[in-house]
């Protein structure tokens, strides 16, 4: 309802300004400061003060006098508070909010009939997913979920780098070394088993003598040339390694969960000739330069000093060359393309976008969002020699710590809810994985994170368990409720009830804004806001023990609305909503 109310406010305010012969280009409609009592407010009087030559409070009063609310369903009273024009809602707004939020799909917006491909993670298939890169699948999955809730037709893609030197080295090492040459795998899974070959190969290349290295490099170069030439046997050799490693990596990602609709391989754009076609077209542009035995793209007219090499002297393409073909394929199949990248890929992304523009593409359809790294506090987790901390290590530790926390909380109270070991395992998984996801996605992507267990698993602080507990509490109340029939929202007159209704009403607008800005951390902020507001309501407003039947029924409906809103806010972030904790 908030979105509809905002549209009514903007229409009424624009009409009033027009009637006063004042400009309507910037209405200044926003959620008001805490000390301003209104659902929405306009600061337009500030902007007009110098133009009109009058103090903002007087301008605000004139605007209020000119506003008509006759055609509005949700605008009640309009008043001023200092320089602000304040808009208050009608009872119909509360009724509509309470009614809409009874639907368990509350917060999902109507279809925009716009397709979006979200490419994220895309870690090189050379071994297990490392915790430092964990932010990519968590952020990427949350962005995709925000877009899905906002009504976009979303596909999630993983772009597989199966054509670069790293993969050629990996393939050579896999075919060169024996099991006896390798240490035991850290886990019984393909990515952990095969990464041993990759590490062994790189170590051997660093330590071998010149003659041995030269022979190995010849074999590695032959693999790269075979891929470039479209040799089926080479594709099969590389695919044997890549597919095994990828199958293991997918198991880690599914634990988050981060699910994908497609795994698109680089080699597809070599085999179908589209990478070669991109090279031919680039050569014909005014930006193409042949220098130092390589074809390069001068992008200085796009504000980029570093040239983009798109064809090596040996005739092989580069990652970005193939990615150009990949993105033109995206443009053929989707209306928008969103890519989630680490901050170290900013230059590459800028070069890619500029090159796509040189090729004549509409680059307004391409959006990139960047993230900084996730660090662990010193001594926060054990690391294996030479391997660092894998995502699986982090998730295992998260579930173990969550189980300890759940069990310690049970020990501190009378165990009257008969939680079984199976229940505790379920809650530990939901809370542990949820704590990792929420803590990472709740921060602005460009800020680096030091992950801290005490903060992430704090049931009393601004964390996933804090929000999850609100959902579980709602479920507990509703399990004992037995109200059917008509509910009257006008029975909700207490300040805490009104505050909760107002926060619930804003959820669809929060989804809309988070999707537009590709900022799922805004939903994490909202989840904390509604949880705090619900807890204030819970403390002050008895639900099942309310004496007035109409009030009891309305409060139960309000709890149901809060449950749906919290559940869907968590779902947008990829965090499970436990029914008991």
């Amino acid at each position: 309802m908030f979105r509809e109310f905002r549209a009514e406010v903007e229409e009424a305010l624009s009409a009033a300004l027009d009637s006063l012969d004042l400009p309507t280009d910037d209405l200044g409609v926003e959620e008001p400061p805490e000390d301003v009592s209104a659902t929405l407010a306009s600061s337009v009087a500030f902007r007009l003060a110098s133009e009109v030559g009058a103090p903002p409070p007087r301008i605000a009063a004139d605007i209020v006098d000119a506003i008509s609310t006759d055609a509005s369903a949700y605008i009640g009273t309009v008043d001023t508070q200092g320089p602000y024009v304040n808009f208050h809602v009608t009872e119909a707004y509360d009724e509509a909010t309470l009614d809409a939020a009874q639907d368990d799909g509350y917060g999902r917006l109507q279809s925009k009939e716009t397709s979006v491909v979200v490419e994220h993670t895309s870690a090189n298939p050379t071994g297990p997913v490392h915790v430092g890169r964990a932010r990519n699948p968590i952020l990427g999955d949350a962005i995709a979920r925000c877009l899905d809730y906002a009504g976009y037709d979303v596909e999630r893609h993983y772009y597989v780098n199966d054509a670069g030197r790293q993969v050629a080295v990996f393939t050579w090492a896999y075919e060169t070394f024996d099991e006896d040459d390798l240490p035991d795998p850290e886990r019984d899974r393909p990515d952990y088993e095969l990464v041993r070959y990759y590490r062994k190969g790189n170590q051997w290349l660093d330590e071998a003598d010149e003659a041995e290295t030269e022979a190995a490099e010849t074999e590695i170069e032959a693999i790269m040339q075979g891929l470039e030439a479209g040799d089926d046997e080479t594709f099969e050799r590389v695919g044997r390694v890549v597919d095994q490693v990828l199958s293991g990596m997918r198991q880690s990602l599914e634990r988050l969960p981060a699910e994908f609709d497609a795994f698109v391989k680089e080699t597809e754009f070599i085999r179908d000739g589209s990478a070669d076609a991109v090279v031919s077209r680039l050569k014909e542009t005014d930006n193409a330069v042949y220098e130092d035995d390589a074809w390069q793209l001068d992008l200085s007219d796009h504000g980029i000093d570093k040239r983009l090499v798109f064809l090596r002297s040996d005739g092989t393409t580069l990652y970005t060359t193939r990615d150009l073909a990949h993105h033109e394929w995206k443009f053929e199949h989707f209306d928008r393309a969103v890519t989630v990248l680490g901050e170290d890929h900013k230059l590459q992304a800028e070069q890619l976008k500029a090159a796509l523009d040189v090729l004549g593409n509409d680059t307004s359809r391409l959006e990139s969002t960047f993230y900084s790294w996730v660090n662990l506090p010193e001594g926060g987790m054990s690391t294996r020699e030479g391997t660092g901390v894998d995502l699986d290590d982090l998730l295992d530790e998260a579930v173990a710590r969550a189980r300890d926390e759940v069990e310690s909380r049970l020990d501190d109270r009378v165990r009257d809810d008969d939680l079984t070991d199976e229940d505790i395992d379920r809650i530990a998984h939901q809370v542990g994985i949820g704590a990792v996801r929420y803590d990472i996605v709740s921060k602005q992507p460009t800020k680096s994170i030091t992950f801290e267990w005490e903060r992430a698993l704090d049931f009393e602080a601004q964390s996933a368990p804090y929000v999850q507990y609100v959902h579980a509490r709602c479920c507990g109340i509703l399990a004992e409720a037995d109200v059917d029939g008509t509910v009257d929202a006008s029975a909700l007159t207490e300040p805490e009830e009104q505050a909760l209704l107002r926060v619930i009403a804003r959820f669809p607008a929060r989804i809309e804004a988070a999707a537009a800005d590709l900022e799922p951390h805004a939903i994490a902020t909202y989840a904390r806001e509604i949880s705090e507001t619900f807890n204030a309501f819970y403390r002050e407003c008895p639900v099942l023990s309310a004496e007035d039947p109409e009030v009891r029924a309305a409060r139960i409906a309000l709890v149901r609305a809060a449950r749906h809103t919290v559940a869907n806010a968590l779902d947008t972030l990829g965090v499970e909503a436990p029914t008991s904790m």
Side-chain angles (χ1 to χ4, degrees):
M1 295 312 108
F2 182 78
R3 295 163 66 239
E4 291 83 351
F5 173 64
R6 184 177 59 198
E8 288 186 0
V9 166
E10 289 172 348
E11 183 177 350
L13 184 58
S14 181
L17 292 172
D18 192 54
S19 71
L20 295 169
D21 292 325
L22 295 173
T24 60
D25 54 314
D26 183 6
L27 300 177
V29 175
E30 59 193 26
E31 293 183 34
E34 290 185 5
D35 60 342
V36 175
S37 176
T39 302
L40 276 175
S42 170
S43 58
V44 69
F46 281 113
R47 177 176 62 82
L48 296 173
S50 59
E51 183 171 340
V52 175
R58 185 186 303 172
I59 298 172
D62 291 341
I63 293 171
V64 168
D65 290 340
I67 288 176
S68 171
T69 60
D70 294 342
S72 302
Y74 299 137
I75 300 177
T77 59
V78 184
D79 57 28
T80 65
Q81 186 171 340
Y84 289 96
V85 178
N86 299 324
F87 295 84
H88 305 266
V89 295
T90 60
E91 288 187 2
Y93 177 87
D94 291 339
E95 291 282 359
T97 297
L98 191 62
D99 181 62
Q102 299 307 297
D103 187 335
D104 61 9
Y106 180 64
R108 286 194 173 274
L109 308 185
Q110 289 185 337
S111 172
K112 290 180 170 54
E113 298 184 354
T114 301
S115 60
V116 184
V117 56
V118 179
E119 177 196 332
H120 68 84
T121 306
S122 300
N124 290 335
T126 53
V129 181
H130 189 272
V131 72
R133 296 282 180 177
R135 198 169 192 176
N136 198 315
I138 291 173
L139 176 61
D141 187 68
I143 286 173
R145 287 169 178 267
C146 280
L147 290 166
D148 179 52
Y149 263 84
Y152 292 94
D153 180 11
V154 180
E155 279 200 21
R156 302 154 173 85
H157 286 193
Y158 188 120
Y159 187 48
V160 183
N161 180 354
D162 65 336
R165 174 179 164 81
Q166 287 180 311
V167 171
V169 170
F170 204 161
T171 303
W172 162 79
Y174 182 67
E175 296 172 348
T176 299
F177 298 103
D178 296 324
E179 176 72 26
D180 294 342
D181 300 324
L182 309 171
D184 293 334
E186 293 157 4
R187 291 176 189 256
D188 183 19
R189 221 174 62 193
D191 49 340
Y192 287 91
E193 292 175 4
L194 268 71
V195 72
R196 299 175 299 156
Y197 292 92
Y198 182 65
R199 291 173 182 154
K200 177 67 176 180
N202 280 295
Q203 180 186 7
W204 188 92
L205 289 171
D206 287 340
E207 298 174 354
D209 62 39
E210 185 176 344
E212 290 176 321
T213 302
E214 185 175 342
E217 289 292 351
T218 299
E219 293 184 44
I220 293 167
E221 179 65 22
I223 294 171
M224 294 178 66
Q225 290 286 354
L227 291 173
E228 200 73 29
D231 179 65
D232 287 340
E233 182 183 351
T234 306
F235 282 122
E236 187 175 325
R237 291 166 61 194
V238 170
R240 190 179 303 120
V241 174
V242 168
D243 291 345
Q244 288 186 76
V245 176
L246 205 56
S247 71
M249 296 172 74
R250 290 175 68 172
Q251 292 181 52
S252 293
L253 295 169
E254 286 167 1
R255 296 181 66 187
L256 283 172
E259 300 177 355
F260 295 90
D261 299 297
F263 286 78
V264 182
K265 292 184 174 180
E266 266 190 277
T267 50
E268 294 178 27
F269 304 101
I270 296 175
R271 303 186 81 167
D272 69 4
S274 58
D276 285 340
V278 163
V279 169
S280 297
R281 289 161 57 206
L282 287 174
K283 285 181 178 180
E284 295 173 0
T285 66
D286 294 337
N287 300 71
V289 177
Y290 186 75
E291 193 172 284
D292 298 327
D293 295 327
W295 279 96
Q296 306 174 38
L297 212 58
D298 183 345
L299 300 172
S300 56
D301 57 349
H302 288 73
I304 301 172
D305 294 332
K306 186 174 182 180
R307 288 179 178 176
L308 171 65
V309 177
F310 62 89
L311 192 67
R312 296 186 184 93
S313 58
D314 61 4
T316 57
T317 56
L318 290 88
Y319 177 89
T320 305
T321 321
R322 300 184 287 271
D323 205 16
L324 287 168
H326 173 216
H327 275 77
E328 290 196 321
W329 174 84
K330 288 183 184 181
F331 292 156
E332 288 178 17
H333 294 87
F334 301 93
D335 299 315
R336 291 174 57 193
V338 174
T339 311
V340 182
L341 297 165
E343 60 186 3
D344 56 331
H345 289 280
K346 280 186 178 180
L347 175 60
Q348 175 190 324
E350 290 171 358
Q351 290 178 318
L352 176 76
K353 193 167 188 176
L356 285 168
D357 182 62
V358 169
L359 288 168
N361 295 279
D362 176 9
T363 56
S364 66
R365 297 163 59 193
L366 174 62
E367 301 162 80
S368 297
T369 185
F370 300 93
Y371 64 91
S372 188
W373 311 121
V374 175
N375 304 303
L376 292 172
E378 199 67 33
M381 285 185 61
S382 61
T383 60
R384 300 182 181 89
E385 184 70 26
T387 67
V389 177
D390 296 318
L391 177 60
D392 288 306
D393 298 330
L394 179 69
L395 299 182
D396 286 349
E397 182 116 354
V399 174
R401 286 178 179 252
R403 184 182 178 92
D404 289 344
E405 179 66 24
V406 170
E407 289 181 332
S408 70
R409 293 173 71 85
L410 287 173
D411 292 341
D412 292 340
R413 63 175 182 163
V414 177
R415 188 166 176 165
D416 57 1
D417 50 1
D418 295 325
L419 285 179
T420 65
D421 287 340
E422 184 177 332
D423 290 329
I424 294 173
D425 286 340
R426 170 184 56 80
I427 294 169
H429 179 271
Q430 291 174 322
V431 170
I433 304 298
V436 171
R437 281 195 69 126
Y438 187 95
D439 195 69
I440 289 176
V441 82
S442 65
K443 309 298 189 303
Q444 289 188 14
T446 53
K447 294 183 177 180
S448 61
I449 295 175
T450 297
F451 185 84
E452 297 175 357
W453 292 110
E454 291 74 15
R455 180 191 64 220
L457 287 168
D458 190 341
F459 279 63
E460 310 302 330
Q462 308 303 307
S463 61
Y466 178 79
V467 180
Q468 289 173 312
Y469 197 80
V470 167
H471 182 267
R473 176 166 279 165
C474 289
C475 291
I477 294 170
L478 295 172
E480 299 181 38
D482 56 357
V483 174
D484 293 313
T486 304
V487 173
D488 185 0
S490 65
L492 301 172
T493 59
E494 295 297 326
E496 294 79 12
E497 297 167 329
Q498 290 287 301
L500 184 54
L501 260 179
R502 299 291 185 268
V503 174
I504 290 170
R506 290 185 172 95
F507 181 48
R510 291 286 197 274
I511 289 289
E512 184 176 54
D517 299 332
L518 303 180
E519 292 184 344
H521 68 269
I523 301 300
T525 300
Y526 173 81
R528 292 197 299 268
E529 180 185 358
I530 190 173
S531 297
E532 290 169 350
T533 309
F534 179 87
N535 285 334
F537 157 78
Y538 182 78
R539 287 192 300 269
E540 302 298 329
C541 303
V543 179
L544 299 176
S545 61
E547 295 181 3
D548 187 316
E550 286 190 0
V551 171
R552 180 176 183 272
R555 287 179 179 173
I556 288 172
L558 184 57
V559 171
R560 186 178 297 110
R563 174 193 174 183
H564 292 156
T565 307
V566 171
N568 292 338
L570 288 172
D571 186 54
T572 307
L573 302 173
V575 176
E576 289 194 65
T579 56
S580 61
M581 283 178 69

